[in-house]
Amino acid sequence: MTYTIPIILFLVFFLVTALKVLNEYERGVIFRLGRVINSKGPGLIILIPIVDKMVRVSLRIMTLDVPSQDVITRDNVSVKVNAVIYFRVTDPIKAILEIEDFMFATSQLAQTTLRSVCGGVELDDILSQREKVNNEIQEILDIHTDPWGIKVSTVELKYVDLPQEMQRAMAKQAEAERERRAKVINALGEFQAAEKLSQAAKIISAHPEALQLRYLQTLREMSAEGKASTIIPLPLDLMRMLAPGAGSGELIEKKIQESSEE
């Protein structure tokens, strides 16, 4: 009975210090007398008390929020850029031995890389080619963090904060662009209308009866408008006699066009 209590206490101490359980997403880097022997897990592992020491490392994808960085782009525009980085540990031993705090180191590296990349491109590229900027930042981070046993999978720019003066200038530019497009579309419509009128004039000159049909159609449209004035249709031959100087119905076409515009 004298040795029972110490033995029980020793067994309890051994179980507490020697038996460790690692989750599926965890790995344990084992140090034995200060030297790394291996990484173990997941599941139940046994350590030698006092001799072995274990450092847990998570293999899940981690999210790192990069604070807003003041950046001056290549075209001398001052902006604030924020980003988010997704990375994971691929080699637990390197993540513990090669870097003191891989989370802090990755954060600092991401900030400097974000400023460097965004400072080397123009503002339009940051706004319109964001995917290209994301890939460039991701490649740079992946190259520098690979010796640490870290894989950077995705980098996304969250937002680009522009000064108020730049926002107003961009709004004016967009408004001017919309006005330019409206004028181009209007001019194109006038050009197409002129082409159609030219084709119609050629058809009417080749078929005089088409002018008679157009004349009657115009009279019908004018009468359908419900105006109080009285419309007296006259034959085209009589109108040609009244206006002998008009050849090939030119005067009639002018009158019809004026009536249509009214």
Side-chain angles (χ1 to χ4, degrees):
M1 293 295 294
T2 305
Y3 299 101
T4 304
I5 296 177
I7 293 174
I8 294 175
L9 293 177
F10 176 77
L11 292 175
V12 172
F13 174 78
F14 177 81
L15 293 176
V16 171
T17 57
L19 300 182
K20 301 293 182 181
V21 177
L22 297 176
N23 295 321
E24 184 67 30
Y25 56 84
E26 290 181 326
R27 297 296 183 271
V29 180
I30 309 302
F31 290 86
R32 177 165 297 170
L33 297 177
R35 298 177 63 88
V36 175
I37 59 173
N38 200 356
S39 62
K40 297 183 179 180
L44 179 65
I45 63 174
I46 301 176
L47 303 177
I48 301 176
I50 302 176
V51 177
D52 292 345
K53 179 184 177 182
M54 183 186 70
V55 179
R56 294 175 182 262
V57 180
S58 177
L59 301 184
R60 293 181 294 183
I61 294 178
M62 302 179 187
T63 304
L64 179 62
D65 188 11
V66 182
S68 297
Q69 303 296 312
D70 292 326
V71 179
I72 299 179
T73 61
R74 190 169 63 181
D75 50 349
N76 297 324
V77 179
S78 178
V79 296
K80 289 185 177 181
V81 183
N82 188 13
V84 60
I85 298 175
Y86 299 91
F87 67 96
R88 61 187 296 267
V89 176
T90 57
D91 192 334
I93 296 179
K94 287 184 178 181
I96 298 300
L97 295 182
E98 300 297 334
I99 193 75
E100 181 180 1
D101 187 348
F102 64 86
M103 194 75 175
F104 177 75
T106 304
S107 175
Q108 296 300 310
L109 181 62
Q111 295 179 31
T112 57
T113 305
L114 180 63
R115 290 194 298 268
S116 176
V117 173
C118 293
V121 297
E122 296 183 356
L123 178 61
D124 291 340
D125 295 334
I126 297 178
L127 297 177
S128 61
Q129 300 181 8
R130 184 169 296 187
E131 188 66 25
K132 179 181 177 181
V133 177
N134 293 338
N135 293 335
E136 186 174 354
I137 296 175
Q138 186 266 334
E139 290 177 0
I140 295 175
L141 290 177
D142 197 28
I143 292 174
H144 286 82
T145 58
D146 184 67
W148 305 342
I150 295 175
K151 172 64 178 177
V152 178
S153 58
T154 307
V155 176
E156 292 290 340
L157 295 179
K158 293 175 63 176
Y159 64 85
V160 179
D161 189 8
L162 298 175
Q164 294 294 329
E165 296 80 5
M166 182 57 63
Q167 294 181 12
R168 288 193 292 268
M170 294 179 66
K172 292 180 180 179
Q173 180 183 1
E175 184 178 359
E177 178 66 21
R178 288 193 296 269
E179 291 180 357
R180 183 189 68 84
R181 293 179 181 178
K183 291 180 180 180
V184 171
I185 294 174
N186 188 25
L188 181 61
E190 293 292 339
F191 176 75
Q192 293 177 351
E195 283 188 337
K196 296 300 181 182
L197 288 175
S198 176
Q199 295 175 5
K202 292 180 180 179
I203 295 175
I204 291 176
S205 62
H207 304 279
E209 60 274 9
L211 181 61
Q212 179 71 27
L213 295 175
R214 180 57 183 164
Y215 173 64
L216 296 175
Q217 183 180 6
T218 304
L219 292 177
R220 184 175 63 83
E221 293 176 355
M222 293 174 61
S223 62
E225 293 179 358
K227 294 183 178 180
S229 59
T230 303
I231 300 174
I232 300 176
L234 296 176
L236 288 179
D237 295 336
L238 178 60
M239 296 182 68
R240 290 193 182 97
M241 294 174 61
L242 295 177
S248 302
E250 294 179 356
L251 180 61
I252 304 302
E253 292 180 44
K254 182 176 179 182
K255 295 294 184 180
I256 293 175
Q257 184 177 3
E258 292 177 356
S259 302
S260 301
E261 291 178 354
E262 293 177 358

